[in-house]
Amino acid sequence: KIDISKNPQISKTYNVSLAPDFKIIKKDGFAIDFVGLDKKQNDLIDWLKKHLLPPYRELETIYDAQSFVRKHLNTLIYFGPKSASFDIFVSLNVDFVSVQFGHCETETCYQHYKVKEGDLMLFKKNGNVEFLINKSQMNSEDELRGAISSKMIDNLLEFNSELSDKIFNDRSPGLILYRNKTTSKGKHLEMIFEEVSRILHVNSTLN
């Protein structure tokens, strides 16, 4: 912890203009910034883990993989031997702070998750939602980043006070659907609403 008012030279060296500010200073003097000081404590913890812990966890068995998925809200597992596409996968670790990365190259894991060598599986909501990203989508960092990002976005979100603050303090376009979940029409409206939101590529919420 450094008081920048008493250490102006340090704040100048590391380009600190506002407090509080968080930086990881590496041995070579390179500083990694924590972007977004309005984030919650858990965001800071996830950011620290991403930069201070190993970039991925080795998963030796199906049990290891299942436990890993259940433990974390969002996980991304690479299935297959380490290769050029694996290197691309690892390089994106710090881009997705809320996603924990894992690696498994056993035949039993391939069979259990019905994947091929070089495929990725994205697990959301502690494994309740799964997405396959096949190796054809891992030709470059940008391509894989786009594939992961598109799967990380929820088309339908439950409307609450936290989401309300985010939406109405944001100038990006969005849609809100008000419906009765207990009726058959409510479910049908959800399906139509989700399709419209995908076509328009905007944030959508449910209330």
Side-chain angles (χ1 to χ4, degrees), residues 41-102:
Q41 177 180 338
N42 287 342
D43 295 319
L44 177 58
I45 293 172
D46 288 341
W47 174 76
L48 288 170
K49 287 180 177 178
K50 280 290 181 178
H51 289 283
L52 299 179
L53 297 180
Y56 62 92
R57 179 178 169 184
E58 286 289 357
L59 308 169
E60 302 291 340
T61 66
I62 294 174
Y63 176 77
D64 288 343
Q66 291 176 326
S67 299
F68 182 66
V69 169
R70 286 195 297 267
K71 182 179 179 180
H72 303 288
L73 184 63
N74 303 305
T75 53
L76 186 65
I77 299 179
Y78 180 93
F79 295 92
K82 296 175 182 178
S83 61
S85 57
F86 174 78
D87 292 339
I88 293 174
F89 159 75
V90 173
S91 71
L92 296 181
N93 173 59
V94 295
D95 289 9
F96 296 93
V97 176
S98 64
V99 183
Q100 302 302 312
F101 282 42

Side-chain angles (χ1 to χ4, degrees), residues 79-138:
F79 295 92
K82 296 175 182 178
S83 61
S85 57
F86 174 78
D87 292 339
I88 293 174
F89 159 75
V90 173
S91 71
L92 296 181
N93 173 59
V94 295
D95 289 9
F96 296 93
V97 176
S98 64
V99 183
Q100 302 302 312
F101 282 42
H103 171 239
C104 184
E105 54 178 315
T106 63
E107 190 64 35
T108 52
C109 278
Y110 302 164
Q111 294 174 0
H112 179 78
Y113 289 107
K114 299 177 182 179
V115 296
K116 299 176 182 178
E117 282 191 6
D119 285 345
L120 288 177
M121 284 290 288
L122 173 64
F123 300 89
K124 297 173 61 178
K125 302 178 181 179
N126 304 100
N128 291 314
V129 181
E130 300 177 3
F131 294 102
L132 173 67
I133 301 175
N134 61 54
K135 57 185 176 183
S136 65
Q137 297 173 279
M138 290 184 275

Side-chain angles (χ1 to χ4, degrees), residues 96-197:
F96 296 93
V97 176
S98 64
V99 183
Q100 302 302 312
F101 282 42
H103 171 239
C104 184
E105 54 178 315
T106 63
E107 190 64 35
T108 52
C109 278
Y110 302 164
Q111 294 174 0
H112 179 78
Y113 289 107
K114 299 177 182 179
V115 296
K116 299 176 182 178
E117 282 191 6
D119 285 345
L120 288 177
M121 284 290 288
L122 173 64
F123 300 89
K124 297 173 61 178
K125 302 178 181 179
N126 304 100
N128 291 314
V129 181
E130 300 177 3
F131 294 102
L132 173 67
I133 301 175
N134 61 54
K135 57 185 176 183
S136 65
Q137 297 173 279
M138 290 184 275
N139 296 312
S140 68
E141 286 188 11
D142 288 341
E143 186 176 10
L144 181 54
R145 184 182 293 106
I148 298 172
S149 297
S150 66
K151 300 293 190 298
M152 284 299 297
I153 298 172
D154 290 318
N155 285 299
L156 297 179
L157 303 171
E158 286 295 335
F159 193 78
N160 52 39
S161 58
E162 183 179 348
L163 188 58
S164 172
D165 291 339
K166 182 178 180 181
I167 292 172
F168 294 113
N169 289 327
D170 188 352
R171 295 182 179 274
S172 61
L175 298 173
I176 298 178
L177 171 67
Y178 294 86
R179 89 298 187 218
N180 186 344
K181 291 193 293 185
T182 62
T183 66
S184 58
K185 285 185 177 180
K187 190 62 180 178
H188 183 62
L189 282 172
E190 279 188 30
M191 294 173 62
I192 297 173
F193 184 70
E194 184 171 11
E195 183 61 26
V196 170
S197 68

Side-chain angles (χ1 to χ4, degrees), residues 5-53:
S5 65
K6 297 179 181 179
N7 298 275
Q9 187 57 45
I10 292 179
S11 62
K12 182 178 180 181
T13 300
Y14 293 107
N15 194 29
V16 178
S17 56
L18 296 174
D21 195 0
F22 301 92
K23 295 178 185 288
I24 294 175
I25 312 299
K26 304 185 76 173
K27 288 183 178 179
D28 59 4
F30 181 77
I32 303 172
D33 296 308
F34 176 61
V35 180
L37 295 179
D38 59 335
K39 294 183 178 180
K40 297 181 178 179
Q41 177 180 338
N42 287 342
D43 295 319
L44 177 58
I45 293 172
D46 288 341
W47 174 76
L48 288 170
K49 287 180 177 178
K50 280 290 181 178
H51 289 283
L52 299 179
L53 297 180

